[in-house]
Amino acid sequence: MSLRITASRLIANSRVITAKRALSLASRATLRPTAARQFVKPMVATRGLKQINFGGTTETVYERADWPREKLLEFFKNDTMALIGYGSQGYGQGLNMRDNGLNVVLGVRKNGASWKAAIEDGWVPGENLFEVNEAISKGTYIMNLLSDAAQSETWESIKPLLTKGKTLYFSHGFSPVFKDLTHVEPPKDIDVILVAPKGSGRTVRSLFKEGRGINSSYAVWNDVTGNAHEKAQALAVAVGSGYVYQTTFEKEVNSDIYGERGCLMGGIHGMFLAQYEVLRENGHSPSEAFNETVEEATQSLYPLIGKYGMDYMYDACSTTARRGALDWYPIFKDALKPVFQDLYESTKNGSETKRSLEFNSQPDYREKLEEELKIIRGMEIWRVGKEVRKLRPENQ
């Protein structure tokens, strides 16, 4: 692959970025930040919620600066967060809330793997670690962070405990949106809210510890008290969000399921495999095929796209790479769009939910899952990747 960023181009773009940053900072009093200037690091200040133009559409964005720690503690001073489940999200959100000074109790099955993991992370049985029902009885906010399948399986025992005055919290719209399949139908007499961090719970935790924050969406299912939106915005910051935007339960679950099966995981894995296999079939060595398919993408190009955008990549790459990319991206888009349309329809009509529940509810699903993952681990591309990663200077 000939997509190489030249030193002169990087220097030139660096000067442009520096100039833009200076202009942005100088005019911050009169200009709102726009999507076109996303790579400019914002000033550290308490600015309140903002109306931001995202490519022509104006949206409201809430920031961590809107909810400093003192304000969070005041807002939640009479509340107990009963966090149910200690998987990926439970781990990240629970520890972040605890570090923020909120009153948090954790509810998991006694002496199970999660119970033992929680003790290792400093949760104390009888103090802030309880079995599920006891934790719910103590909580004013019931944060259901069990797996989607487990939420469905435990709902009949949890629902009677969701008494008036409590607030029910989700981090995924899966269960209530697809209630015909999950049988999770939230009570109508309590606030029901959602905060969905856009990353794994491990990332939620690591970014929080670095003093940064994950981006998250929030939504409201029921607003009985009239304060549900404010509750969700505050809790989003409490669990480790850096900025938050509003959505609906339906849009959150559809975009999430669609995205992870598409560009985030399934689609990108399929593209990696296809490109790698064609290179190997045409006589390229395993190391060359992996480096041109995965290593350069993840270590060189994707971080720059994440930091500056795809338009920056087109502007900064070699003329040969630019010409080829401009010629081929419409071909890929036209070929892939029908697949994405089918995927979205499968998400929206509940087919993906049904398949997920059926598989993840099987008593031997972990063993079956391990067999599928074993196939992926055994693929040449990922065995090669394991060796390539050892060659990175930081791993020497």
Side-chain angles (χ1 to χ4, degrees):
M1 186 175 181
S2 62
L3 198 131
R4 302 287 189 267
I5 300 175
T6 64
S8 60
R9 177 66 70 177
L10 280 174
I11 291 170
N13 277 276
S14 176
R15 289 170 178 164
V16 171
I17 291 166
T18 301
K20 287 183 176 180
R21 182 179 289 116
L23 177 61
S24 176
L25 293 176
S27 59
R28 186 62 58 91
T30 56
L31 294 178
R32 294 292 186 183
T34 66
R37 293 196 295 273
Q38 284 181 16
F39 59 83
V40 179
K41 186 177 181 180
M43 295 177 68
V44 178
T46 302
R47 294 172 292 175
L49 62 90
K50 298 187 298 302
Q51 299 291 317
I52 296 182
N53 186 323
F54 290 101
T57 300
T58 300
E59 298 183 38
T60 299
V61 174
Y62 304 85
E63 291 188 296
R64 181 170 52 195
D66 304 327
W67 287 92
R69 189 169 184 267
E70 296 74 17
K71 185 177 177 181
L72 286 176
L73 293 177
E74 176 63 25
F75 188 83
F76 293 117
K77 65 182 179 181
N78 298 319
D79 291 304
T80 297
M81 310 298 161
L83 192 151
I84 310 305
Y86 202 61
S88 174
Q89 287 296 335
Y91 158 85
Q93 295 187 38
L95 291 177
N96 290 354
M97 285 191 297
R98 194 177 75 183
D99 287 354
N100 268 328
L102 274 63
N103 183 24
V104 188
V105 297
L106 180 61
V108 294
R109 181 170 58 85
K110 190 172 184 178
N111 295 326
S114 293
W115 180 276
K116 295 174 183 176
I119 292 175
E120 291 178 3
D121 290 335
W123 301 91
V124 180
E127 182 178 315
N128 55 16
L129 176 60
F130 304 93
E131 293 199 67
V132 172
N133 286 6
E134 187 173 0
I136 293 175
S137 70
K138 295 177 179 296
T140 54
Y141 283 74
I142 313 305
M143 303 175 70
N144 194 339
L145 297 182
L146 294 168
S147 69
D148 295 324
Q151 287 186 19
S152 179
E153 293 167 2
T154 59
W155 183 247
E156 287 306 312
S157 62
I158 288 178
K159 185 176 181 179
L161 305 175
L162 302 174
T163 53
K164 195 170 183 179
K166 294 183 184 289
T167 297
L168 177 60
Y169 169 103
F170 294 96
S171 276
H172 193 17
F174 188 100
S175 292
V177 170
F178 296 109
K179 59 182 180 295
D180 291 343
L181 295 168
T182 64
H183 308 297
V184 175
E185 190 163 2
K188 293 182 171 57
D189 60 348
I190 64 173
D191 287 348
V192 180
I193 61 177
L194 172 149
V195 173
K198 299 306 164 185
S200 73
R202 299 288 164 179
T203 307
V204 172
R205 180 60 176 164
S206 63
L207 290 179
F208 176 84
K209 290 171 69 176
E210 291 171 14
R212 300 160 65 192
I214 194 83
N215 61 304
S216 303
S217 61
Y218 91 89
V220 171
W221 183 273
N222 287 344
D223 185 5
V224 174
T225 64
N227 296 320
H229 287 268
E230 192 175 26
K231 288 179 179 180
Q233 294 156 17
L235 203 45
V237 173
V239 302
S241 303
Y243 71 90
V244 191
Y245 60 91
Q246 186 177 358
T247 186
T248 67
F249 273 65
E250 292 83 358
K251 289 178 180 177
E252 187 283 326
V253 69
N254 287 339
S255 62
D256 185 85
I257 293 176
Y258 170 77
E260 64 197 11
R261 283 154 175 74
C263 289
L264 301 181
M265 293 178 67
I268 197 66
H269 188 195
M271 282 191 66
F272 280 157
L273 288 174
Q275 179 167 307
Y276 180 88
E277 289 175 2
V278 169
L279 286 170
R280 294 289 286 123
E281 289 161 5
N282 281 274
H284 295 268
S285 69
S287 62
E288 182 173 52
F290 185 86
N291 273 288
E292 292 292 345
T293 298
V294 179
E295 193 73 352
E296 185 173 350
T298 59
Q299 301 306 298
S300 175
L301 307 185
Y302 291 175
L304 288 173
I305 294 171
K307 191 172 184 179
Y308 300 124
M310 195 71 219
D311 53 342
Y312 173 88
M313 287 302 303
Y314 279 115
D315 188 48
C317 70
S318 71
T319 55
T320 301
R322 184 188 307 142
R323 180 67 269 147
L326 289 170
D327 289 343
W328 275 91
Y329 89 79
I331 298 172
F332 277 107
K333 192 208 73 165
D334 291 343
L336 291 171
K337 189 169 181 180
V339 178
F340 279 98
Q341 288 171 328
D342 289 344
L343 171 57
Y344 191 83
E345 181 56 32
S346 181
T347 299
K348 190 175 180 179
N349 66 25
S351 297
E352 294 302 310
T353 297
K354 186 172 184 293
R355 291 183 68 247
S356 179
L357 286 172
E358 288 176 348
F359 180 85
N360 295 330
S361 297
Q362 296 175 22
D364 60 345
Y365 91 94
R366 291 186 184 276
E367 291 79 6
K368 291 180 178 179
L369 175 63
E370 180 57 31
E371 287 301 313
E372 291 185 88
L373 295 177
K374 189 182 296 183
I375 293 172
I376 293 175
R377 294 189 195 103
M379 290 176 177
E380 182 185 271
I381 183 174
W382 304 120
R383 288 189 286 112
V384 172
K386 186 176 182 180
E387 299 306 313
V388 169
R389 287 191 292 277
K390 293 177 183 177
L391 299 174
R392 296 176 188 165
E394 67 269 24
N395 293 331
Q396 295 294 314

